[in-house]
Amino acid sequence: DQQVKQNSPSLSVQEGRISILNCDYTNSMFDYFLWYKKYPAEGPTFLISISSIKDKNEDGRFTVFLNKSAKHLSLHIVPSQPGDSAVYFCAASSNTGNQFYFGTGTSLTVIP
Amino acid sequence: EAEVAQSPRYKITEKSQAVAFWCDPISGHATLYWYRQILGQGPELLVQFQDESVVDDSQLPKDRFSAERLKGVDSTLKIQPAELGDSAMYLCASSSGLHRGTQYFGPGTRLTVL
C-alpha cells in the first residue's frame, strides 16, 4: 500500500511562473517530510524538508507547505526556471521507524 | 564537495547470474541505505546500516539478495541469482544521522536482467 502519493505524474509550467507540486500521505504517524529533485542518470538530491511542528519552510525559491489535518504537503517553486526541470519526489518518515517512504514522483518541465 | 560513489553505473546480466554493486558513502557518514527504484516508482528501501550493523532489512528479499558493510565504511549489495524482475535502478545513500532525513544519494546502478 502506497503511504505517500504524488497523483500528478507530470507538470508543465512557463518560465517565471509558479510551480506547485503536491503530495498526500496516509500515515498519521509521519512527522518529517522531504522533497528530493532527480535529474536523469543522477541520484536524487535533497531539496528541502519540513517537520510537523511547522506548516511552512522556505529556502530561496522553494517553499514547502504542510497541512497536517489534510495529510497534504506541497512544494512551491517561484519563479520557475528551465533548470528546475526534473523529477520531484516527496518522502515521509515517522520517529518510530527508520524508513523513509517515497512517492512515485512528479516530472516537472519548465518551458522557456 | 563530498559525494556518494557507486559502481558500476550500468550492469547488464542474464537471469540466474550473480551481480554485485558497490557503494562508498560520504566520509564520516555512519548510516548507509540501499534503495531499489523501479521505473515510474519512487525509491524503496532494501536495507539500512548503522556503521556495520543492519538496522532494517525487512524489505530485502533474503533468498537472493545480500548486503554487507564489513568495516562500517563501504558496502556491497549482491543478487544471486538475478531474475528478470530485478531490473531496476539501485541507489545507495548515506547520512550523518545528525539531521533526520538528509540522505545524500549516489548516481545509482542501472541493472538490466535479460
Side-chain angles (χ1 to χ4, degrees):
Chain A
D1 185 30
Q2 193 78 19
Q3 298 191 54
V4 178
K5 300 176 183 179
Q6 293 176 257
N7 293 318
S8 297
S10 62
L11 175 69
S12 291
V13 173
Q14 286 292 132
E15 180 179 3
R17 305 296 290 270
I18 184 171
S19 295
I20 300 176
L21 295 93
N22 295 305
C23 179
D24 297 291
Y25 61 97
T26 58
N27 190 337
S28 58
M29 298 299 292
F30 287 155
D31 65 348
Y32 192 66
F33 306 87
L34 309 94
W35 284 94
Y36 280 86
K37 178 170 70 173
K38 185 181 184 300
Y39 293 119
E42 295 183 13
T45 303
F46 171 74
L47 196 57
I48 193 169
S49 64
I50 188 167
S51 166
S52 61
I53 62 174
K54 295 184 176 182
D55 54 17
K56 176 183 174 181
N57 189 24
E58 192 172 351
D59 184 1
R61 297 185 298 112
F62 302 91
T63 303
V64 56
F65 294 92
L66 176 62
N67 183 332
K68 292 184 286 294
S69 61
K71 295 190 181 68
H72 176 83
L73 64 157
S74 61
L75 175 68
H76 293 208
I77 307 173
V78 183
S80 301
Q81 301 174 353
D84 296 329
S85 296
V87 177
Y88 290 79
F89 292 98
C90 66
S93 78
S94 70
N95 63 4
T96 60
N98 299 307
Q99 187 170 170
F100 276 86
Y101 295 87
F102 284 78
T104 52
T106 296
S107 178
L108 173 66
T109 301
V110 180
I111 303 165
Chain B
E1 180 177 301
E3 295 180 342
V4 176
Q6 287 187 251
S7 68
R9 293 292 305 276
Y10 303 92
K11 178 70 178 178
I12 300 174
T13 190
E14 293 184 346
K15 63 180 182 179
S16 79
Q17 296 297 304
V19 292
F21 314 131
W22 177 80
C23 172
D24 191 13
I26 292 172
S27 178
H29 279 192
T31 310
L32 184 147
Y33 311 81
W34 282 103
Y35 287 88
R36 176 171 61 186
Q37 184 181 11
I38 296 171
L39 193 63
Q41 298 183 19
E44 292 181 299
L45 180 69
L46 290 175
V47 61
Q48 177 183 344
F49 289 92
Q50 182 69 27
D51 298 312
E52 67 275 10
S53 300
V54 173
V55 173
D56 185 350
D57 64 356
S58 58
Q59 302 300 315
L60 189 71
K62 299 182 189 62
D63 57 336
R64 297 185 301 107
F65 286 63
S66 64
E68 61 183 16
R69 192 184 185 199
L70 293 176
K71 296 183 179 179
V73 181
D74 59 340
S75 175
T76 302
L77 178 69
K78 297 179 181 177
I79 308 175
Q80 183 173 16
E83 295 181 353
L84 296 177
D86 296 332
S87 294
M89 175 74 81
Y90 290 83
L91 294 162
C92 178
S94 70
S95 72
S96 64
L98 294 178
H99 301 285
R100 180 158 63 120
T102 309
Q103 298 179 25
Y104 298 87
F105 283 83
T109 296
R110 168 69 67 187
L111 172 66
T112 302
V113 182
L114 303 176

